[in-house]
Structure formats: structure tokens, C-alpha cells
Amino acid sequence: MARWFKSSWIWMVIAITVAVYAPLAGRTGDEKARQRSLDTLTEIMGLVQKQAVDPPAPKQVSHASISGMLHTLDPHSYYMDESEFRTMREDQRGSFFGIGSIIQQQPDGVVVVSTVRGGPSEKVGIRAGDFIREVDGKSTEGFTSTAVVQKLRGDKGTVVEVAVQRAGFPGLIRFSITRSEIPSNSVQYAFMLTPTTGLIAIKDFGETTSEEFEKAVRNLKAQGMTDLLLDLRNNGGGMLDAATGICRQLLGAGELIVTQKGRDGRDMQETRTPKGSVLDTFPMVILINRGTASASEIVTGAVQDHDRGVVVGQTSWGKGLVQAVMAINRTRGLALTTARYYTPSGRCIQRDYQHGIDDYLLPEDTKEPLGDKGPVYKTDLGRTVYGGGGITPDYTVEQAKLTTFVGNLRFRTSAFFKFAVIEKEKHGIKPQQVPDEALMKAFHAWMKEQKIECTDAEWNDPANQAEMRDQLAMEMQNVAYGMEAGFKYISGRDPQVKKALEVMPEAAAMLKKKVLSMKDGKDSPLVARN
């Protein structure tokens, strides 16, 4: 059998390629051209098998052939091998089996930046700042954080041996950790930003997102929330059902959420809120940026078009292609584009990619796709919104960027994180603690001990001083109280968040107009959910 496979794999690849390619190519109706293409493919793959000095492995050729073919369609159709397909399913389910540690790749190795409360790592005593040096007796030197994650995950109830290096301890500290189910929550953060404003940050859209969001809103209301800041920045999307589930909680009865149009505009499908939906009357502002894509753009577009909330930030990515995920032998998958998304006002979410895939996948950070120069559309209340790709915010606000000096301290040397770990162990850290002058001097002295390059001019620069103080404070909160605490601290200094709070009264006034228009039209009932 092995001998037969070794000699026949090339024909298996061709057969698989034909099986996938034939229905796609059939759209042209030119059977002769299709056959010529397949004949050429067969000839080339045969020559590779016979003549190449280093013939590729069968898996390499099959993966490259399928991926190359899909690349000719659009930027978002793709093939998933066993590992990729398994990871996608774990992300959608909202849970996986692992040790409950959030890890990060740093110049010195892969480090634990936080542990899941009540998870296996916390129970055995792993701390933020521990460098993972071995997994099951094998060194992690040279490993990426992704590679370490794959080794830490496994079947429920199995044991993984982890050795960590901890500051102030000689040698490695070893732990035997039993893997258990770890929630991979879509709602990343949910807290009261001010006494009346709640903030909910959703990192992706999976099977549990709608329920998580509903629970978060209920909990924040119990804490006094009267208006909401919904953070969808860097949310790359996910499941359509999750996005529509969020919209059903935010919009009124019978309101259009999104339209899907298939090949050549045929096969149109509209998704609306149920007739029994009720409009929850809390004002809302949504934060977006260039990392906001797909399902998160559907939510943002529906909220903006129906005047349910104000949008602040940067024009979103513009990923409006619908992928149907098809399982292949239950272990692999094909994500194939089958339609396009349109917002309720008729805007096509998808950004143009016909002028170069590289420009599409690596857009300039400072370049807005169209801004206010795109096609004009109208919201329910007659406000002007713009199409042409992505969601254009009502208020454009650039994200804060670190100075080069502070950026190097954070990302190249991990100075803030390392010092925060030491500070926690030596002196402890208070909730929302702001570094005072004595702490900044101690940080400066530590940098000199570590031989981190820093001139007097760089240290004394006012912009660097302000940013260093904020970055150090955030990492201290991350290390001591978890990443939500650090995010809460830095959010209070975020220019986009500040703008969102500034325009919240406008969101409230717009919601009142919407409510009046619904009453005049005798549309959906209103409710203030508790």
C-alpha cells in the first residue's frame, strides 16, 4: 500500500484538484478550455514527479495546488488542513481543552501574561511572568507562541508537563497540569467605564457570542449602566448567526440586519429581526478600526443604518464576502465564497480587491479606503452614510500610536511587562495604580541595570514620559489583576474612547428620534430590560 501511494500520489492530487476545480470552472461553460487547463496541470505535475531535483511531499503539493486555485477566486476562499480546521471549530464552539494560560511571544521566549481565573494553570501556581521553557520534557527554544499553544492543548483529562523559568528562582519550576475545558469567550472585556457607561469588547463571533453579550449587558445594568460603548476594534468577524444574534438584541421588530446576494446578484437572502423583538432603549456608541471586519461590520452597519447608535473610529476593513465552510472527510475544510453582504441601506461591505491582493491584504494604516467620497446612502432618519467598502464611522478618530522609543521598550524588550512582574513580587500593586515619580525612577534604574538603551533626551521627552507611565501602569494591572484591569486603565486614556464618551449625548438624542418614529409608525414595542 505504501509503495502504491508513493508512486501514485501525484494522480491522487490531480483527481482531488479536478473534483474541486471542475464545479468552479464550470461557471464559464467552456468545456474545452477547462479540459485544456486540466491537461496542462496533469502534464506539469507529472514532470515535477519525474524531473524535480527535490520532489515535494504529497501533502505539500496538494495543499499548494488547492490553495493556489482558490487564490484565483478571491482573498477569502481558503483550504484548511486538519490542524487549521480543528482550531477553527474550537474558536467557533467557544471552548477548548488546555491549561488556561494566556501566553505571548517575547524576545526572551514564550511567557505567561495572564491565567484564566479558576483554570488549571492558576490552580497549580503558574503566574504571570513565567517563561515556558519546556513542554512534556522538550525545550520550547525557537518556538512561536502558536506552536506552544498547540502543545499545551490536548484531550480533556490528559496531563501535560510544563517547566517554567521564574524571576528570582534558580533553575526551572516544574508543574504537572491536567487539561480541562477552557472557555474561549467572545466577550473579551465587560466593565463599567464610568458610573453610567458600560464597555463591552467583543473579540470575535462564535457559537456563544449572543448569549455572552446578553449576560454582559444584564450584569452591567445591575451595576448602573444607562448607556453602552461597544468595542469591535480588531474584531475579524466569525459566524453570521452570532452577528445577527447581537442585532436581534439591539434593534426593533422586523428590522433588516443584512442582505446576502449570491452569484450575479441572484439568490438574494434577507435576514431580519423577529416580529416580536423589542428595542432596548439605552444609547450606544460603537468603536471600529481597520481591523474590524466581516460579522463585526454587519453589526456596525445595521446599527448605523437604523440610527441605533453612533460609530466612532476608523473605516473598517471591508470584508463582505460570505464563506460557506464545507467539511472534507470531517477533518479538513473548505471555506468557499458564495455571496456578498449588504447593509440595510444597500451598502456593499466588501472593499475592492481587483487592483491587487497585496494592497488589499496590507492596506496603509493611515489611508482611509474612501471616507466621505464613496457612494451616498441614507439611514432610516435620513442621515448620510457612505459606501464603497467597509463601514465609514460617523466620527473619524485615529488610534493612538506609541513613540518609537516607547514602542521599542514595549515590543522589542518587553521592559514594562518585566518590570511589572518584579514590582508585583517585591512591593505589590494597587488597583488602577498610577506610577508616581519614585516608581518611575526605580524603572529608570532597572533599565540601566538591564543595559536597555536610553539617552537622557529620550527619557526626559514629555511625550515619552507620558506614554511610559501609561504603558507601565497598564502592564502592572495586567500582571496583578488580569488583562481586563489593564485594558480598563488604558481605555480611560484612549482618544477614540474619549470621543465615544463625548458623543454619547448625540447617540441618546438620535435614539429618542428613532423611538418617536417607531411610535408614529406603530412599529416594535420598547423595553428597558433589567
Side-chain angles (χ1 to χ4, degrees):
M1 182 69 181
R3 184 180 303 168
W4 176 87
F5 180 81
K6 186 175 181 180
S7 62
S8 307
W9 66 266
I10 200 80
W11 308 112
M12 293 173 63
V13 171
I14 293 172
I16 293 172
T17 304
V18 170
V20 177
Y21 178 73
L24 302 177
R27 69 180 64 176
T28 66
D30 190 346
E31 296 294 333
K32 290 183 179 180
R34 182 177 64 185
Q35 188 58 51
R36 284 197 300 270
S37 297
L38 295 175
D39 289 344
T40 301
L41 176 64
T42 302
E43 183 177 357
I44 291 174
M45 296 182 82
L47 289 171
V48 169
Q49 182 190 28
K50 294 177 182 178
Q51 304 293 336
V53 63
D54 293 311
K59 189 174 182 179
Q60 279 182 291
V61 174
S62 61
H63 199 298
S65 299
I66 296 171
S67 297
M69 174 187 60
L70 295 175
H71 187 69
T72 66
L73 300 178
D74 60 78
H76 299 293
S77 292
Y78 63 98
Y79 168 73
M80 291 168 279
D81 62 19
E82 291 88 344
S83 175
E84 293 164 336
F85 189 63
R86 182 173 61 252
T87 299
M88 182 207 71
R89 290 298 300 133
E90 288 175 348
D91 290 341
Q92 288 183 340
R93 282 197 305 267
S95 66
F96 58 91
F97 300 119
I99 68 169
S101 287
I102 300 172
I103 65 175
Q104 184 181 87
Q105 190 170 347
Q106 294 188 359
D108 299 335
V110 175
V111 66
V112 176
V113 296
S114 183
T115 57
V116 175
R117 185 174 299 175
S121 289
E122 184 185 65
K123 289 179 180 178
V124 301
I126 286 182
R127 305 177 189 174
D130 287 347
F131 281 88
I132 299 176
R133 298 306 188 192
E134 293 180 6
V135 177
D136 284 334
K138 295 183 179 179
S139 172
T140 60
E141 185 177 358
F143 278 35
T144 64
S145 56
T146 301
V148 174
V149 164
Q150 290 177 345
K151 288 186 172 295
L152 294 176
R153 292 186 181 183
D155 295 331
K156 183 178 182 180
T158 57
V159 176
V160 59
E161 303 290 339
V162 177
V164 304
Q165 178 185 355
R166 181 174 296 169
F169 288 80
L172 298 179
I173 306 173
R174 301 184 181 275
F175 298 93
S176 295
I177 309 174
T178 301
R179 296 182 177 100
S180 65
E181 186 171 12
I182 307 297
S184 178
N185 294 329
S186 294
V187 173
Q188 190 172 19
Y189 307 120
F191 54 82
M192 293 299 295
L193 185 62
T194 75
T196 58
T197 301
L199 185 149
I200 297 176
I202 302 178
K203 66 181 178 66
D204 54 30
F205 288 88
E207 292 179 1
T208 61
T209 307
S210 181
E211 292 79 6
E212 290 177 40
F213 179 76
E214 184 176 17
K215 181 180 178 181
V217 169
R218 186 168 59 249
N219 289 342
L220 291 178
K221 281 187 173 183
Q223 299 175 52
M225 184 187 83
T226 58
D227 45 63
L228 174 66
L229 179 54
L230 179 59
D231 191 349
L232 297 181
R233 292 175 296 181
N234 299 314
N235 182 322
M239 300 177 67
L240 175 61
D241 287 348
T244 57
I246 297 291
C247 290
R248 290 187 183 102
Q249 298 177 52
L250 296 175
L251 303 177
E255 291 193 297
L256 180 62
I257 298 173
V258 65
T259 300
Q260 299 179 55
K261 295 182 182 179
R263 188 184 303 174
D264 300 326
R266 301 193 301 269
D267 305 322
M268 188 173 75
Q269 178 182 342
E270 292 184 343
T271 302
R272 293 180 176 271
T273 58
K275 292 183 179 180
S277 294
V278 291
L279 177 64
D280 203 342
T281 54
F282 57 80
M284 180 173 62
V285 175
I286 294 183
L287 290 176
I288 63 173
N289 65 3
R290 293 302 297 272
T292 302
S294 191
S296 53
E297 292 176 293
I298 290 173
V299 173
T300 306
V303 166
Q304 189 180 48
D305 285 357
H306 289 304
D307 302 294
R308 176 62 182 86
V310 174
V311 181
V312 171
Q314 297 165 295
T315 300
S316 62
W317 177 272
K319 196 273 186 184
L321 298 179
V322 185
Q323 276 75 52
V325 178
M326 308 166 192
I328 301 173
N329 293 332
R330 297 185 179 182
T331 61
R332 290 160 289 140
L334 173 66
L336 184 65
T337 297
T338 57
R340 293 176 183 266
Y341 289 130
Y342 293 80
T343 74
S345 66
R347 293 179 287 171
C348 180
I349 293 175
Q350 181 60 45
R351 181 159 49 91
D352 178 38
Y353 55 85
Q354 299 296 333
H355 299 295
I357 296 295
D358 290 341
D359 289 340
Y360 172 76
L361 295 176
L362 299 170
E364 296 178 19
D365 292 339
T366 58
K367 182 181 178 182
E368 292 294 316
L370 284 173
D372 59 0
K373 298 179 181 178
V376 173
Y377 295 82
K378 294 295 182 179
T379 68
D380 292 351
L381 295 176
R383 295 187 305 131
T384 297
V385 290
Y386 299 95
I391 305 297
T392 303
D394 299 304
Y395 292 95
T396 298
V397 180
E398 294 294 324
Q399 283 188 292
K401 293 184 178 180
L402 299 177
T403 64
T404 301
F405 172 70
V406 177
N408 285 336
L409 288 181
R410 177 168 178 78
F411 299 112
R412 293 185 64 182
T413 67
S414 304
F416 304 114
F417 175 79
K418 292 176 181 177
F419 183 78
V421 171
I422 295 171
E423 184 65 17
K424 178 194 172 186
E425 296 297 327
K426 288 185 176 180
H427 306 292
I429 295 170
K430 298 176 182 178
Q432 298 299 298
Q433 178 180 341
V434 179
D436 57 18
E437 289 303 320
L439 186 58
M440 292 302 292
K441 287 180 180 179
F443 177 56
H444 194 196
W446 174 83
M447 287 175 58
K448 291 180 179 179
E449 290 175 5
Q450 300 298 311
K451 294 182 171 51
I452 296 174
E453 293 183 7
C454 174
T455 66
D456 290 341
E458 288 171 328
W459 177 261
N460 293 319
D461 181 86
N464 287 342
Q465 274 288 319
E467 290 181 9
M468 283 191 293
R469 201 177 298 268
D470 283 344
Q471 291 298 309
L472 183 55
M474 180 182 68
E475 289 293 8
M476 288 165 61
Q477 295 303 306
N478 287 343
V479 167
Y481 302 103
M483 298 187 73
E484 181 172 280
F487 184 77
K488 182 176 182 178
Y489 176 89
I490 209 68
S491 293
R493 289 144 179 82
D494 187 323
Q496 293 179 334
V497 172
K498 288 181 178 179
K499 184 64 177 181
L501 293 174
E502 178 187 322
V503 302
M504 192 66 77
E506 180 180 330
M510 186 172 66
L511 182 59
K512 285 184 179 179
K513 291 182 181 178
K514 178 179 177 66
V515 169
L516 288 174
S517 70
M518 292 171 64
K519 286 181 178 179
D520 292 340
K522 295 181 180 180
D523 284 338
S524 73
L526 310 175
V527 68
R529 294 191 187 95
N530 297 314

